[in-house]
């Protein structure tokens, strides 16, 4: 069965520091992978997605993610974190031919220190 | 509308009562999804609609949960005889078509508390 694991429940980084949020997936075929962000009082917003091709994908708000098939990973990165990046981040995998439904990880809560 | 709208935003109900949660998708979006987010957990898929039919309802946790959709418009998620474990945020999303190539837009959710 497909699954997504986000090993870090909570991460704290200093403003201006780099960030990497981990995501590992379990899926038999080439996965469709997504990162969403959920800010307090806001709905989920799509940051970026990977379908095929270049394994380094760029997203909104300066985020990028790298697909590594050998490690079954799709880690999210940002070179310099801003205080407004404090939020909960969800990695998701989408099974093929299942109408676009998503299977989410448990989320990583990001706190940013001044 | 401009975005996916869910109502109510908060609902407190007594154990054993029935509740209805409403989702207004973005106009023209044929696909509509319901997810549940329990405290400290990720989102769990419940059901999705293509138009007013539900090709996949595999995520509904029990027969106390049901959902319907009128045409390509409003959807209602009904939970009968609510239990405390039903307490969660229920999120709705819509997309133009039920495909991975179209982005799903999420509402802000309904926070359900069963006391």
């Amino acid at each position: 069965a497909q699954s997504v694991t986000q090993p870090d429940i909570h991460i704290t980084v200093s403003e201006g520091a780099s960030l990497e949020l981990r995501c590992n997936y379990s899926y038999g075929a080439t996965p469709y992978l997504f990162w969403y962000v959920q800010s307090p009082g806001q709905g989920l917003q799509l940051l970026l997605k990977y379908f095929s091709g270049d394994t380094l994908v760029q997203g909104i708000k300066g985020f990028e993610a790298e697909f590594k098939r050998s490690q079954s990973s799709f880690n999210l990165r940002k070179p310099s974190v801003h205080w407004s990046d404090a939020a909960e981040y969800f990695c998701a995998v989408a099974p093929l031919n299942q109408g676009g439904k998503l299977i989410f990880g448990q989320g990583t809560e990001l706190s940013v220190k001044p | 509308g401009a975005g996916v709208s869910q109502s109510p935003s908060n609902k407190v109900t007594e154990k054993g009562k029935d509740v209805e949660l409403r989702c207004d998708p973005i106009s023209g979006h044929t696909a509509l999804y319901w997810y549940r987010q329990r405290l400290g957990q990720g989102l769990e898929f419940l059901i999705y609609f293509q138009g007013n039919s539900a090709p996949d309802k595999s995520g509904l946790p029990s027969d106390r949960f049901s959902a319907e959709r009128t045409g390509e418009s409003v959807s209602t998620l009904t939970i009968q005889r609510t239990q405390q474990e039903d307490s969660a945020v229920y999120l709705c999303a819509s997309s133009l078509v039920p495909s991975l190539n179209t982005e799903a837009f999420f509402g802000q959710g309904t926070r359900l508390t069963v006391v």
Side-chain angles (χ1 to χ4, degrees):
Chain A
Q2 307 95 351
S3 66
V4 177
T5 302
Q6 293 179 247
D8 305 305
I9 295 172
H10 189 201
I11 283 183
T12 300
V13 300
S14 297
E15 190 166 18
S18 63
L19 170 70
E20 182 169 30
L21 301 183
R22 296 184 290 163
C23 172
N24 293 96
Y25 66 89
S26 172
Y27 186 63
T30 300
Y32 282 35
L33 294 159
F34 303 77
W35 274 99
Y36 282 85
V37 60
Q38 186 178 39
S39 300
Q42 309 274 330
L44 270 77
Q45 182 181 22
L46 179 66
L47 283 176
L48 48 79
K49 61 188 179 185
Y50 170 78
F51 283 0
S52 65
D54 194 346
T55 57
L56 185 64
V57 293
Q58 303 296 322
I60 62 171
K61 305 186 180 187
F63 285 92
E64 66 178 27
E66 186 171 13
F67 170 61
K68 293 185 177 180
R69 183 188 301 276
S70 62
Q71 298 178 19
S72 298
S73 69
F74 188 57
N75 294 349
L76 182 71
R77 302 195 294 245
K78 186 169 184 177
S80 177
V81 168
H82 188 262
W83 65 265
S84 60
D85 293 325
E88 185 132 27
Y89 292 79
F90 292 94
C91 181
V93 64
L96 292 178
N97 302 319
Q98 292 194 32
K101 82 177 190 185
L102 298 168
I103 297 170
F104 286 86
Q106 292 190 331
T108 297
E109 185 179 356
L110 173 66
S111 297
V112 181
K113 296 190 297 189
Chain B
V4 177
S5 177
Q6 292 187 247
S7 60
S9 55
N10 280 283
K11 175 74 175 177
V12 180
T13 190
E14 292 181 353
K15 178 180 171 182
K17 294 285 179 69
D18 297 352
V19 294
E20 284 189 353
L21 312 180
R22 177 187 169 105
C23 173
D24 279 279
I26 294 172
S27 178
H29 280 196
T30 65
L32 186 147
Y33 307 82
W34 282 99
Y35 292 86
R36 177 172 72 174
Q37 184 178 20
R38 294 199 230 184
L39 188 63
Q41 299 188 26
L43 283 75
E44 306 169 72
F45 168 79
L46 297 178
I47 186 171
Y48 94 88
F49 289 89
Q50 180 174 354
N52 62 4
S53 67
D56 187 347
K57 51 180 82 169
S58 62
L60 294 177
S62 73
D63 58 8
R64 295 187 296 106
F65 288 72
S66 63
E68 62 179 26
R69 186 179 185 195
T70 307
E72 293 183 354
S73 183
V74 171
S75 175
T76 303
L77 178 69
T78 301
I79 309 174
Q80 296 179 310
R81 305 181 302 281
T82 52
Q83 304 294 313
Q84 288 186 329
E85 64 261 28
D86 300 333
S87 295
V89 177
Y90 290 82
L91 289 161
C92 175
S94 71
S95 65
L96 200 56
V97 293
S99 163
L100 297 175
N101 292 314
T102 60
E103 182 177 346
F105 294 87
F106 283 79
Q108 294 193 20
T110 294
R111 181 176 299 277
L112 175 66
T113 304
V114 182
V115 297

